[in-house]
């Protein structure tokens, strides 16, 4: 299946584009997606936290992804 992933902040800077399209196996979990992305973009693995949101909600590691899901990578946020 094909997944479209919106990228924000430092994740967007690391990947170099605002949206990433990837091919993933059926039954891919949110954690599996993160693991794949860490392999493709090792600098993503260096972030202290990187959350996956699916359909506008934070996803648990075992959340199964569907091709039509709205997926986003949410990097750590700092500020005051």
């Amino acid at each position: 299946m094909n997944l479209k992933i919106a990228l924000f902040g430092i994740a967007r800077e690391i990947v170099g584009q605002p949206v990433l399209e990837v091919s993933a196996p059926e039954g891919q979990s949110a954690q599996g997606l993160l693991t794949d992305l860490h392999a493709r973009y090792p600098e993503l693995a260096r972030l202290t936290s990187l959350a996956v949101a699916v359909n506008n909600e934070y996803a648990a590691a075992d959340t199964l992804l569907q091709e039509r899901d709205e997926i986003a990578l949410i990097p750590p946020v700092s500020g005051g």
Side-chain angles (χ1 to χ4, degrees):
M1 70 180 161
N2 294 315
L3 301 174
K4 188 179 286 187
I5 305 162
L7 305 167
F8 299 96
I10 189 70
R12 181 180 185 165
E13 291 177 26
I14 290 170
V15 173
Q17 55 195 44
V19 177
L20 183 63
E21 294 188 37
V22 300
S23 179
E26 294 291 330
Q28 176 77 290
S29 68
Q31 182 59 51
L33 175 64
L34 272 181
T35 300
D36 288 349
L37 292 175
H38 289 166
R40 292 181 192 196
Y41 303 96
E43 289 202 23
L44 289 177
R46 295 183 186 160
L47 299 177
T48 56
S49 68
L50 184 63
V52 176
V54 178
N55 300 325
N56 300 315
E57 293 188 17
Y58 285 106
D62 62 351
T63 298
L64 298 181
L65 304 176
Q66 305 294 321
E67 189 163 304
R68 295 185 181 203
D69 285 339
E70 291 182 24
I71 301 169
L73 289 187
I74 311 296
V77 177
S78 63

